[in-house]
Amino acid sequence: MITFFVCLVVLVVGFFTYGKLIEKVFHIDDRQTPAIAHPDGVDYIPMKTWRIFLIQLLNIAGLGPIYGAIAGACWGPAVYLWIVFGTILGGAVHDFLSGMMSERNDGMSISEVVGLYMGKIITFVMRVFSVVLLVMVGVNFAAGPAGLLAKLTPEQLSQSVWLVIIMLYYLAATFLPIDKVVGKLYPFFGLCLIIMAVGVGGATVFLHGSDMPELSAATLSVLHPSGTPKWAMMFVTVACGAVSGFHATQSPMMARCIKSEKEGRTVFYGAMVAEGIIALIWAAAGVTFYTNHGSLVEGMQGLQAAITAGGQGGVVYEICTSLLGPVGGVLAMIGVIACPITSGDTAFRSARLTIADWFKLDQADTKKRAVLAVPLLAVGFIIVKLLPWTYLWRYFSWSNQTLAMIVLWTGAVFLHRYGYPPVASMMAALPATFMTAVSITYFFQAPECLHLSTSIAYPVGIVAAVVFFVLFYVQTFVRKKDENQLAAQMGK
């Protein structure tokens, strides 16, 4: 169990060290936050730090760190490294910057923040991209729970009936003030998510600790049972457990509720570290549970077979009930039903805020809020009834990581303008470069995209990442140096 506990400690230490460093680079101060400067009783509402933290955790997590980590566990213990270092150096930096850049700009939606620092063309692209992504998340996280609830309830309560019920709940969560539905329900389900992870993690350690594989040259070289390459498929598969662009659409909601900039590291960086810990626990459970005194290769084959047979939801239920008994069954149901629903409602709420920022619509006005909320949910309902779930989800993973790439580059530009020393922007530029390589490689190699061979996808992704980095370096450091030299000459 050495590898597991070392990874766990590194994640916690990362919050107190690297998290503190990014906070210092950002120049946290005592300026008034949007929630204090102009509370509107709807979206800008000051809330307690612990409540905001739990809301943010559930906003960004949902099923992400569970399903993604379980699927990523098919590559063996190698997934631990991506979860740990992806979280500390990439995902948590991404979440902190997206939340705090929004807070510094009056709680702007991420599309407006990106446009502010990256230009007018990218503003329009990001507006459309963000709304489409959020609606995709919303409808996907309505269809899955509706189908599961239909199986668990009498025939009269069909999937269509549950879909209507879930959509009506989404409408309430999207329309009502954030402290009425989200602020009251999310802390409870956030605690359930944590309790489920602690229970599964503890039971895995005490009951199957001897089966936990350690990181070694042999285990790192273990291949996915279906032959899927680690690069860049594993990095996109895990997604929310390490780096996720979806988080950038959620962070501005809490940026409108924090009472002090000093809360930013706990709420944004801290929630992502907590999600990384949850992902690590589920990855370890997936690797360990199916190994069960056998070889790691056989364990990964067993995990892949379980995913193929019942999906990640089936794996969650099997692990929970086997390790925790009836209590585990209840927690599993909360996990696979409540968690996706709570991701879907904030996705639609974030879509409303994105459109409102786009067209400058005052959301304190009930009628203007209804004009956005009702059509959004109506469109979502129509989409989920017309298109199959697998089709809707097909491009989500790639678009999710591409959004993370864009936000990290935006953060690098922001830090270059306002950070110190200038090299501080590298804290965002380096993970942005990495995610550029991941996103472009995945686009070229994934079956649902171009589906080209790795001999083409790998070099294209790497070259693209290098080009992006060189362009950033030239546009920032070189140009800034030339401007400083010109100013000095003119001064003389």
Side-chain angles (χ1 to χ4, degrees):
M1 297 183 288
I2 295 174
T3 299
F4 173 74
F5 283 111
V6 168
C7 289
L8 191 62
V9 170
V10 171
L11 278 168
V12 175
V13 171
F15 169 75
F16 290 103
T17 55
Y18 205 74
K20 192 69 175 178
L21 181 60
I22 191 68
E23 180 185 55
K24 183 178 181 181
V25 165
F26 196 86
H27 289 257
I28 295 296
D29 56 37
D30 58 356
R31 73 183 67 192
Q32 278 194 331
T33 64
I36 300 299
H38 51 79
D40 66 354
V42 179
D43 297 306
Y44 294 84
I45 299 178
M47 289 193 283
K48 294 180 179 179
T49 306
W50 68 267
R51 187 178 294 275
I52 297 175
F53 171 82
L54 288 173
I55 293 172
Q56 174 71 4
L57 176 61
L58 201 60
N59 274 352
I60 65 174
L63 285 177
I66 302 176
Y67 279 21
I70 287 173
C74 288
W75 281 278
V79 74
Y80 297 171
L81 296 178
W82 171 229
I83 290 172
V84 172
F85 294 106
T87 293
I88 295 171
L89 303 177
V93 171
H94 167 277
D95 290 13
F96 178 84
L97 290 176
S98 60
M100 294 308 294
M101 286 190 297
S102 173
E103 185 271 337
R104 284 283 175 91
N105 291 284
D106 201 35
M108 277 185 181
S109 299
I110 196 61
S111 57
E112 305 304 306
V113 172
V114 170
L116 190 63
Y117 297 105
M118 302 291 273
K120 293 182 178 179
I121 295 177
I122 194 83
T123 304
F124 178 77
V125 173
M126 279 294 295
R127 284 167 174 168
V128 176
F129 189 83
S130 297
V131 172
V132 171
L133 176 65
L134 289 165
V135 171
M136 283 175 58
V137 171
V139 297
N140 274 287
F141 286 159
L148 185 55
L149 285 166
K151 294 178 181 179
L152 299 173
T153 53
E155 292 183 4
Q156 294 84 350
L157 295 174
S158 64
Q159 182 174 4
S160 296
V161 172
W162 277 114
L163 190 60
V164 171
I165 293 172
I166 291 173
M167 283 295 182
L168 288 174
Y169 163 75
Y170 279 2
L171 179 60
T174 302
F175 178 77
L176 294 174
I178 195 165
D179 61 337
K180 301 303 181 186
V181 176
V182 174
K184 285 183 169 58
L185 294 179
Y186 270 46
F188 170 74
F189 288 116
L191 283 172
C192 289
L193 188 67
I194 294 172
I195 291 170
M196 180 166 63
V198 171
V200 169
T204 300
V205 168
F206 288 108
L207 300 178
H208 297 280
S210 60
D211 294 327
M212 274 192 177
E214 303 290 354
L215 276 173
S216 65
T219 56
L220 282 175
S221 62
V222 169
L223 301 177
H224 193 283
S226 63
T228 306
K230 285 188 179 72
W231 180 266
M233 305 299 281
M234 183 181 75
F235 301 90
V236 175
T237 299
V238 175
C240 293
V243 178
S244 171
F246 173 69
H247 299 182
T249 66
Q250 303 301 290
S251 294
M253 285 193 290
M254 294 300 97
R256 302 180 186 209
C257 298
I258 61 175
K259 295 183 289 186
S260 168
E261 286 200 345
K262 294 178 181 179
E263 298 174 3
R265 181 165 66 98
T266 299
V267 171
F268 302 118
Y269 197 98
M272 182 60 227
V273 169
E275 182 171 8
I277 292 173
I278 293 171
L280 176 67
I281 288 172
W282 277 101
V287 170
T288 305
F289 185 82
Y290 291 93
T291 298
N292 194 23
H293 301 295
S295 71
L296 179 61
V297 173
E298 291 174 348
M300 298 306 91
Q301 291 172 347
L303 174 58
Q304 180 60 41
I307 292 174
T308 302
Q312 286 98 313
V315 173
V316 170
Y317 188 79
E318 183 179 5
I319 290 176
C320 282
T321 53
S322 297
L323 296 181
L324 302 174
V327 174
V330 173
L331 290 174
M333 287 299 98
I334 291 176
V336 298
I337 294 176
C339 285
I341 290 176
T342 54
S343 291
D345 61 11
T346 50
F348 276 111
R349 187 180 187 94
S350 185
R352 171 177 68 79
L353 295 175
T354 300
I355 297 173
D357 287 352
W358 183 351
F359 294 101
K360 312 300 180 189
L361 299 175
D362 180 14
Q363 293 301 279
D365 186 310
T366 303
K367 291 182 180 179
K368 291 180 179 179
R369 200 159 72 249
V371 164
L372 295 183
V374 174
L376 263 176
L377 270 298
V379 169
F381 183 80
I382 293 171
I383 291 174
V384 80
K385 291 295 290 182
L386 293 179
L387 298 177
W389 185 88
T390 52
Y391 181 87
L392 292 169
W393 193 254
R394 184 174 296 173
Y395 299 101
F396 170 73
S397 295
W398 173 78
S399 59
N400 184 47
Q401 301 305 70
T402 302
L403 179 57
M405 173 194 78
I406 295 171
V407 173
L408 280 166
W409 280 120
T410 304
V413 173
F414 180 92
L415 290 178
H416 175 74
R417 290 186 184 180
Y418 303 109
Y420 72 94
V423 74
S425 61
M426 290 295 115
M427 295 181 73
L430 291 178
T433 303
F434 183 85
M435 292 309 299
T436 300
V438 167
S439 297
I440 293 178
T441 301
Y442 183 89
F443 180 77
F444 275 82
Q445 74 177 154
E448 68 270 19
C449 297
L450 298 185
H451 202 193
L452 300 177
S453 68
T454 56
S455 61
I456 297 175
Y458 286 4
V460 169
I462 292 171
V463 169
V466 171
V467 170
F468 273 51
F469 181 82
V470 170
L471 286 173
F472 171 76
Y473 184 83
V474 171
Q475 291 294 320
T476 52
F477 291 94
V478 175
R479 178 172 291 186
K480 186 68 175 179
K481 183 178 179 181
D482 293 342
E483 290 174 352
N484 290 341
Q485 289 177 346
L486 180 61
Q489 292 173 2
M490 293 181 68
K492 293 179 180 179

